[in-house]
Amino acid sequence: MAGTASQASLLLQKQLKDLAKNPVDGFSAGLVDDSNVFEWQVTIIGPPDTLYDGGYFNAIMTFPQNYPNSPPSVRFTSEMWHPNVYPDGRVCISILHPPGEDPNGYELASERWTPVHTVESIVLSIISMLSSPNDESPANIEAAKDWRERRDDFKKKVRACVRKSQEMF
């Protein structure tokens, strides 16, 4: 186990260094605590021309000791109203689901986690999720209902999240 954890640690340190050297538009990332490379603080800038435009949304990305063989978990610490974000802030997108066949049959194995994903590809997938919600298998049923049936209510709740994120920033 120690060998796996040290390999994961080295890979995460490399990804952190790469992001510091070559920042990516749309987000910033760093360690929550310099002594723990397995927990990252990520700030996602609301994508332009979306309901989240102008927002600054913080999230914690927690990596398992066997990364990249298993996916990290991502949880927004900023308030977020979105069909693919659980009420407690956990992000629900296919690439964060464990590798292999979906026991519920909703996703293809090719849509789920693979070790080729990086912090950058994960966050870019989350930004894409903000741009186009998937209401087929929602994590937040109420947000999905608003998205489908009460779009004005959905927009109002997202605008409130954006305003709140700007105040916190």
Side-chain angles (χ1 to χ4, degrees), residues 18-127:
D18 289 349
L19 283 171
K21 233 173 25 187
N22 304 303
V24 178
D25 284 347
F27 76 94
S28 64
L31 301 181
V32 170
D33 173 347
D34 287 340
S35 68
N36 181 5
V37 76
F38 292 95
E39 191 169 60
W40 292 37
Q41 168 75 45
V42 178
T43 299
I44 295 174
I45 300 164
D49 304 319
T50 70
L51 297 174
Y52 300 90
D53 192 357
Y56 299 92
F57 302 100
N58 293 317
I60 300 290
M61 193 178 277
T62 306
F63 295 88
Q65 297 288 313
N66 68 340
Y67 177 80
N69 296 320
S70 294
S73 63
V74 181
R75 185 178 55 81
F76 279 102
T77 55
S78 299
E79 192 174 316
M80 178 60 68
W81 188 249
H82 191 283
N84 307 117
V85 178
Y86 287 98
D88 69 359
R90 287 176 297 133
V91 174
C92 179
I93 54 175
S94 298
I95 68 161
L96 294 178
H97 296 159
E101 295 299 320
D102 179 3
N104 301 312
Y106 291 119
E107 303 164 328
L108 299 172
S110 61
E111 296 172 316
R112 295 167 69 90
W113 178 259
T114 63
V116 298
H117 285 296
T118 62
V119 171
E120 179 179 340
S121 69
I122 295 163
V123 177
L124 291 175
S125 292
I126 294 170
I127 291 169

Side-chain angles (χ1 to χ4, degrees), residues 2 37 94 109 136 138 156 164 167:
V37 76
S94 298
E136 294 298 313
K156 194 184 302 180
K164 197 170 188 178
E167 293 165 8

